[in-house]
Amino acid sequence: MTTAMVIGANGGIGAALISALAASNRYTRITAAARCEPATLPAGVEYLPIDIADPASIEAAAACIDTPLTRVIVATGILHDDSGGPERSLRDLDADRLAHLFAINTIGPALALKHFAPLLAKDAPSAIACISARVGSIADNRLGGWYGYRASKAALNQIVCTAAIELARTRPRAVCVALHPGTVDTSLSKPFQRGVPAEKLFAPAYSAERLLAVLDGLTPAQSGRIFAWDGAEIVP
């Protein structure tokens, strides 16, 4: 049995991932996990309530899984909301805002790894991935700004790397990675699309297709790393 799950299935990328997984006809069971049930789901896709900002919700959702998982993608994240956008300078830093970004971008996915990585199949190839961002790379930071988002994604990358080391001890056939989807035409990137070349602004369906292709091509030897939509490895 091949089973797939997307956490954050209500987001632009998450919904596209669900659609792509369903269209592949490779999975006997697909679960769309989100805080609210998506308005539409492909035929046969199950809904599971989960709030990435609520640790109890993550644990409860994992307790509902009764078959080994072969694909898990945590497609959650926040860059801006009604409470504010990315910081441009040190004077913009706010403790509550930073805590909120880390809760969604780092702590929630970390707890998803805690509860869902042990549910990966033991006797078959499997993969668990978290959607990260190129701007989480410390080595690649040449512009500055976006303190909270950069730092929370950098922390997520470290969580993924550390989890991969542990996971290899019990599931040597598993892959655990962070994935950069590119600049995708979703609500997350909408206010920041000015200046992005048309060919570099991806439709969610294209990004989802590329991310799944990259994930399918990875081996356990590449576990713990960060890969972009085009398969290129990103330096942390």
Side-chain angles (χ1 to χ4, degrees):
M1 176 177 284
T2 55
T3 56
M5 179 178 188
V6 175
I7 301 173
N10 252 336
I13 296 175
L17 286 167
I18 286 291
S19 295
L21 289 166
S24 73
N25 293 317
R26 292 174 49 191
Y27 297 91
T28 53
R29 190 173 187 179
I30 300 173
T31 301
R35 185 170 53 184
C36 303
E37 184 170 2
T40 59
L41 283 173
V45 174
E46 304 171 9
Y47 167 67
L48 182 65
I50 189 169
D51 183 348
I52 201 66
D54 180 0
S57 169
I58 298 170
E59 183 175 7
C64 295
I65 303 299
D66 56 6
T67 54
L69 296 166
T70 49
R71 286 287 184 278
V72 180
I73 303 177
V74 184
T76 56
I78 183 173
L79 173 59
H80 63 91
D81 58 13
D82 292 340
S83 66
E87 312 92 343
R88 298 190 179 202
S89 69
L90 286 168
R91 65 176 174 272
D92 296 328
L93 292 181
D94 175 81
D96 290 341
R97 178 68 182 167
L98 287 170
H100 182 53
L101 288 169
F102 271 82
I104 303 298
N105 292 338
T106 310
I107 297 173
L111 294 178
L113 288 170
K114 171 186 176 180
H115 292 293
F116 288 96
L119 302 179
L120 292 175
K122 289 185 177 181
D123 56 354
S126 61
I128 186 166
C130 294
I131 300 298
S132 188
R134 186 181 297 276
V135 296
S137 167
I138 296 174
D140 194 55
N141 185 359
R142 296 176 179 83
L143 296 176
W146 292 28
Y147 284 84
Y149 188 71
R150 286 183 185 275
S152 60
K153 289 297 188 179
L156 173 60
N157 295 340
Q158 182 67 276
I159 292 285
V160 167
C161 178
T162 306
I165 295 170
E166 179 178 349
L167 187 61
R169 298 171 186 148
T170 57
R171 285 162 177 77
R173 301 180 72 182
V175 170
C176 177
V177 293
L179 297 173
H180 166 58
T183 302
V184 185
D185 189 12
T186 65
S187 58
L188 184 144
S189 70
K190 191 70 71 177
F192 312 101
Q193 293 178 5
R194 180 182 296 180
V196 178
E199 68 273 13
K200 292 296 183 67
L201 181 62
F202 302 148
Y206 176 76
S207 179
E209 175 189 325
R210 292 303 311 141
L211 291 175
L212 291 175
V214 170
L215 195 57
D216 285 344
L218 297 177
T219 69
Q222 295 166 297
S223 196
R225 304 179 190 176
I226 314 160
F227 294 92
W229 59 273
D230 59 357
E233 185 173 353
I234 296 175
V235 179

